């Protein structure tokens, strides 16, 4: 939705509130101005931090709505829940005072779902395995999306790193023949993971529950459209394996609920402290949960007296979300398969534990088989697109797995060249640690260079005494960069780390426009914003 349509929607809401039928509101509030309060969600890593929230807050006030409480800004690069709780603790008393409502004091914990354990459900009516993701017992039909992912056979899983790397990066191909799935180079592939069986078993062990018990959680609010938190009935094992996030850092509201299950007073006070909004409590949570990277399994292990009801834990834990990967293939070359490039995440925490990425560690063990190994996937459309005209030159900056979407781009440009079309310069800046260890798709890229499709600048950061990154090479090649974006109206693409690399590229771009375009800083910034609005400067980044 563009900003003009969004603004029109806000005006319609205000107008409806003021002049709509009294059947929609009590007569007492019919002629009062609408009230509002806004808490915005954003991430300081990105340029337009909380821009929508800021706009809504300002525009509602302009349209005559009455602000009840100050704007809240949440930063997901830090601790967005902490931001919200700090804001909420001041928000509720203000709202109660504004409307003359008597506050209830301390938060009261009320269970949202009612537990039913089953002994007699027909096995074919129990959600389990891949069915857990389908939300249906019927055959799959397109279109495929978050609620109806396609169970794709895995057809290729090969290692991209050299034998001396010490790390792992997978090239994975999924078979989508006959599925009617459509994708374009630059789109994202969503993959639904499965939790590690050892972690699941530990939760059952710590809670003292038979994980094969079949249960249902039913919403106690009869008017709610969400009857169950996830497809039920299912076993606790299925819920913990397919539905619930058991590897993330639990939020403070979860710890607050769990504290009540501690039989040791010191354990209880420890958890309650970390849920408080005091400086000491925030610091304790940040250190013990975030910095030491504890998930729910670690917390159950490290708080011996904590024995929560497993059904309550299933209610509290967030849903296991799909993971998105930049598609690393072009449908013009690979119409019946979709490829992704993924580094296997594995690291040691300050407590000495080894944490593993949910999706990549699961996929690492998946290989082509008969019957086929099925993975739930769907395509998320992106605005990360090649120019319409293949004659338009492009510069692509993608260190590490940032190369993924550019592999698809290069495939399309190479195909166009082989079809006899006039193809503009295709320039890639790729970086890795060492050429013999983690130079992804080395042979493919060298073949594209050999046939004249690709120009590549490589940064091998650890092959010399001082670190060399793609941003260093980009800065050295200011003339080439300006020729593409300034003289030939070309495009520049950035894929990878948002916090450092993408920000550095933006700053270099600003310098190049100022120096080569002979512009003042303000004019150069305007020039880059115009490139952005024209889709000539595109980013696919993550923090």
């Amino acid at each position: 939705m563009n900003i003009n349509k969004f603004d029109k929607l806000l005006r319609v809401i205000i107008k409806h509130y003021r002049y709509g039928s009294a059947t929609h509101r009590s007569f007492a509030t019919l002629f009062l101005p609408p009230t509002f309060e806004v808490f915005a969600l954003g991430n300081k890593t990105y340029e337009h931090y909380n821009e929508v929230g800021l706009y809504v807050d300002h525009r509602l006030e302009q349209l005559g709505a009455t602000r009840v409480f100050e704007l809240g800004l949440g930063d997901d690069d830090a601790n967005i829940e902490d931001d919200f709780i700090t804001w909420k603790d001041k928000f509720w008393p203000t709202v109660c005072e504004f409307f003359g409502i008597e506050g209830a004091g301390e938060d009261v914990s009320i269970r949202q779902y009612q537990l039913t354990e089953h002994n007699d459900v027909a096995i074919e009516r129990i959600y389990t395995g891949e069915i857990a993701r389908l939300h249906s017992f019927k055959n799959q039909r397109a279109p495929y999306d978050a609620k109806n992912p396609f169970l794709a056979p895995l057809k290729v899983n090969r290692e991209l790193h050299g034998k001396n790397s010490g790390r792992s990066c997978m090239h994975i191909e999924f078979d989508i023949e006959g599925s009617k799935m459509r994708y374009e180079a630059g789109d994202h592939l969503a993959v639904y993971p499965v939790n590690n069986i050892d972690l699941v078993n530990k939760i059952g062990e710590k809670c003292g529950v038979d994980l094969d018990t079949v249960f249902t959680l039913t919403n106690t609010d009869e008017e709610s459209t969400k009857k169950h938190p996830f497809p039920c009935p299912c076993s606790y094992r299925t819920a913990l394996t397919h539905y619930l996030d058991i590897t993330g850092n639990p939020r403070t509201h979860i710890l607050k609920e769990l504290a009540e299950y501690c039989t040791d007073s010191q354990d209880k006070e420890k958890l309650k402290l970390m849920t408080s909004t005091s400086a000491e409590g925030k610091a304790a949570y940040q250190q013990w949960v975030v910095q030491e990277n504890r998930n729910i399994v670690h917390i159950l292990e490290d708080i011996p007296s904590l024995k929560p009801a497993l059904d309550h834990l299933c209610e509290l834990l967030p849903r296991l979300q799909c993971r998105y990967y930049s598609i690393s293939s072009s449908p013009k070359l690979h119409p019946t398969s979709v490829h992704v490039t993924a580094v296997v995440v594995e690291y040691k925490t300050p407590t000495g534990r080894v944490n593993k990425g949910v999706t990549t560690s699961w996929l690492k063990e998946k290989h082509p088989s008969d019957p086929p190994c099925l993975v739930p996937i769907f395509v998320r459309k992106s605005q990360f697109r090649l120019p319409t005209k293949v004659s338009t030159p492009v510069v692509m900056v993608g260190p590490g797995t940032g190369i993924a979407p550019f592999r698809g781009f290069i495939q399309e440009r190479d195909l166009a060249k082989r079809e006899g079309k006039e193809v503009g310069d295709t320039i890639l800046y790729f970086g890795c640690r060492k050429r013999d260890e983690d130079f992804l798709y080395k042979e493919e890229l060298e073949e594209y260079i050999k046939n004249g499709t690709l120009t590549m600048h490589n940064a091998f950061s650890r092959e010399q005494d001082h670190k060399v990154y793609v941003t260093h090479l980009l800065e050295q090649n200011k003339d080439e960069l300006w020729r593409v974006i300034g003289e030939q109206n070309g495009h520049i693409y950035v894929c990878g780390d948002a916090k450092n690399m993408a920000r550095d590229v933006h700053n270099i771009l600003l310098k190049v426009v100022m120096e080569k375009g002979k512009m003042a800083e303000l004019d150069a910034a305007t020039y880059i914003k115009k490139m952005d609005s024209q889709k000539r400067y595109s980013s696919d980044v993550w923090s």
Side-chain angles (χ1 to χ4, degrees):
M1 181 183 293
N2 64 40
I3 198 68
N4 291 329
K5 289 183 179 179
F6 189 61
D7 188 76
K8 183 178 180 180
L9 176 61
L10 289 178
R11 284 186 274 117
V12 167
I13 291 170
I14 296 290
K15 183 177 180 181
H16 174 76
Y17 186 95
R18 282 179 171 153
Y19 308 115
S21 169
T23 58
H24 293 96
R25 304 184 310 281
S26 67
F27 182 78
T29 61
L30 181 57
F31 299 107
L32 292 176
T35 57
F36 77 96
E37 49 284 317
V38 175
F39 184 83
L41 306 177
N43 188 310
K44 282 186 177 175
T45 301
Y46 299 95
E47 179 186 358
H48 305 292
Y49 173 59
N50 271 320
E51 188 165 302
V52 173
L54 289 163
Y55 175 81
V56 170
D57 181 80
H58 176 66
R59 193 70 178 113
L60 284 172
E61 195 168 50
Q62 277 188 328
L63 292 169
T66 300
R67 179 194 305 280
V68 175
F69 189 61
E70 64 189 27
L71 169 69
L73 298 177
D75 179 17
D76 197 40
D77 190 45
N79 187 343
I80 200 165
E81 188 192 24
D82 187 40
D83 295 335
F84 176 70
I85 290 173
T86 302
W87 178 84
K88 183 194 72 171
D89 286 347
K90 296 176 182 177
F91 161 75
W92 277 120
T94 305
V95 170
C96 290
E97 182 181 353
F98 185 90
F99 290 103
I101 301 170
E102 186 175 346
E106 284 287 323
D107 290 341
V108 179
S109 176
I110 300 175
R111 289 290 298 271
Q112 184 179 355
Y113 295 95
Q114 183 177 15
L115 170 68
T116 303
E117 292 188 347
H118 306 281
N119 296 315
D120 56 355
V121 178
I123 193 167
E124 64 271 13
R125 300 306 302 170
I126 299 173
Y127 287 92
T128 183
E130 286 89 6
I131 294 295
R133 279 293 166 204
L134 295 181
H135 293 222
S136 170
F137 296 98
K138 300 176 182 178
N139 292 331
Q140 287 193 282
R141 292 180 181 176
Y144 300 106
D145 54 25
K147 291 185 178 180
N148 181 41
F150 175 63
L151 293 178
L154 187 148
K155 61 185 293 186
V156 174
N157 186 351
R158 63 182 172 89
E159 180 60 54
L160 291 175
H161 278 188
K163 59 182 179 180
N164 297 322
S165 170
R167 296 176 298 138
S168 175
C169 183
M170 302 173 290
H171 170 81
I172 297 176
E173 300 181 13
F174 297 105
D175 188 352
I176 58 172
E177 187 170 10
S179 69
K180 298 182 180 178
M181 284 183 72
R182 299 287 182 267
Y183 74 94
E184 294 182 64
D187 283 342
H188 300 120
L189 190 74
V191 179
Y192 274 112
V194 172
N195 281 318
N196 181 277
I197 189 171
D198 292 333
L199 295 180
V200 170
N201 288 336
K202 282 183 181 179
I203 292 177
E205 177 189 329
K206 291 298 177 181
C207 293
V209 173
D210 179 0
L211 293 179
D212 293 319
T213 302
V214 176
F215 76 111
T216 292
L217 290 178
T218 307
N219 200 327
T220 55
D221 181 0
E222 295 179 357
E223 295 182 2
S224 174
T225 56
K226 188 176 183 180
K227 190 175 181 181
H228 308 293
F230 39 74
C232 293
C234 68
S235 68
Y236 285 113
R237 187 181 305 282
T238 293
L240 293 168
T241 302
H242 294 276
Y243 298 144
L244 300 171
D245 183 354
I246 64 173
T247 60
N249 300 142
R251 300 295 196 181
T252 54
H253 76 275
I254 296 177
L255 300 188
K256 186 174 184 178
E257 298 278 351
L258 292 180
E260 300 306 315
Y261 290 99
C262 291
T263 55
D264 181 275
S265 59
Q266 289 186 337
D267 288 345
K268 185 173 184 177
E269 288 306 311
K270 180 176 182 176
L271 288 181
K272 288 184 74 173
L273 172 65
M274 286 187 282
T275 68
S276 73
T277 56
S278 67
E280 182 185 4
K282 290 178 181 179
Y285 175 81
Q286 191 66 24
Q287 174 63 39
W288 198 76
V289 177
V290 179
Q291 292 182 15
E292 295 182 5
N293 220 321
R294 283 181 171 85
N295 59 38
I296 187 61
V297 178
H298 305 153
I299 289 170
L300 291 172
E301 289 176 336
D302 293 346
I303 306 289
S305 76
L306 175 58
K307 305 288 182 183
L310 188 50
D311 64 290
H312 194 187
L313 189 60
C314 289
E315 178 180 325
L316 291 171
L317 290 173
R319 289 294 298 270
L320 179 60
Q321 301 296 322
C322 58
R323 270 53 171 180
Y324 292 100
Y325 298 91
S326 296
I327 292 175
S328 55
S329 57
S330 165
K332 293 180 180 179
L333 197 65
H334 300 282
T336 61
S337 66
V338 58
H339 306 177
V340 296
T341 308
V343 168
V344 178
V345 177
E346 185 173 322
Y347 57 93
K348 197 169 186 177
T349 73
T351 64
R353 296 177 169 101
V354 175
N355 280 0
K356 297 180 179 181
V358 178
T359 310
T360 55
S361 61
W362 176 63
L363 287 174
K364 178 73 174 174
E365 305 303 319
K366 302 298 177 186
H367 297 281
S369 59
D370 187 17
C373 169
L374 302 176
V375 177
I377 65 171
F378 66 92
V379 172
R380 181 177 72 177
K381 292 297 179 183
S382 168
Q383 298 299 314
F384 204 67
R385 291 282 184 263
L386 277 169
T388 305
K389 296 180 179 179
V390 295
S391 59
T392 303
V394 298
V395 172
M396 304 168 291
V397 184
T401 53
I403 195 176
F406 302 140
R407 180 174 181 260
F409 284 7
I410 296 165
Q411 288 175 356
E412 290 203 2
R413 307 273 280 195
D414 181 66
L415 183 62
K417 184 178 177 65
R418 285 189 277 119
E419 290 173 345
K421 297 176 183 176
E422 182 186 344
V423 178
D425 288 340
T426 306
I427 303 167
L428 172 67
Y429 284 80
F430 173 75
C432 61
R433 294 181 181 182
K434 295 183 179 180
R435 73 187 75 210
D436 295 329
E437 292 185 5
D438 52 354
F439 191 163
L440 307 183
Y441 302 112
K442 181 175 182 290
E443 291 77 15
E444 284 184 33
L445 295 172
E446 287 177 343
E447 192 63 31
Y448 290 131
I449 294 169
K450 185 178 178 181
N451 65 24
T453 296
L454 181 67
T455 299
M456 184 161 62
H457 302 290
N458 293 322
F460 303 110
S461 64
R462 301 191 181 185
E463 287 194 351
Q464 56 281 313
D465 293 335
H466 60 286
K467 298 285 180 68
V468 175
Y469 298 114
V470 290
T471 47
H472 295 132
L473 301 185
L474 199 64
E475 199 160 17
Q476 290 171 14
N477 297 329
K478 292 178 181 177
D479 289 335
E480 177 187 75
L481 183 57
W482 178 247
R483 173 172 56 81
V484 172
I485 67 169
E487 297 173 3
Q488 299 177 344
N489 210 36
H491 292 220
I492 181 167
Y493 300 88
V494 183
C495 183
D497 169 44
K499 190 173 290 186
N500 298 308
M501 185 274 296
R503 188 174 295 172
D504 290 344
V505 170
H506 185 274
N507 291 336
I508 290 167
L509 196 58
L510 185 65
K511 290 180 184 177
V512 169
V513 175
M514 288 172 62
E515 182 182 326
K516 300 299 178 180
K518 297 180 173 55
M519 300 182 198
E521 184 172 354
L522 185 60
D523 293 332
T526 302
Y527 184 90
I528 292 172
K529 282 186 179 296
K530 186 177 180 181
M531 285 183 62
D532 191 4
S533 66
Q534 294 173 335
K535 306 296 183 186
R536 291 179 50 224
Y537 176 26
S538 303
S539 298
D540 183 1
V541 296
W542 54 85
S543 56

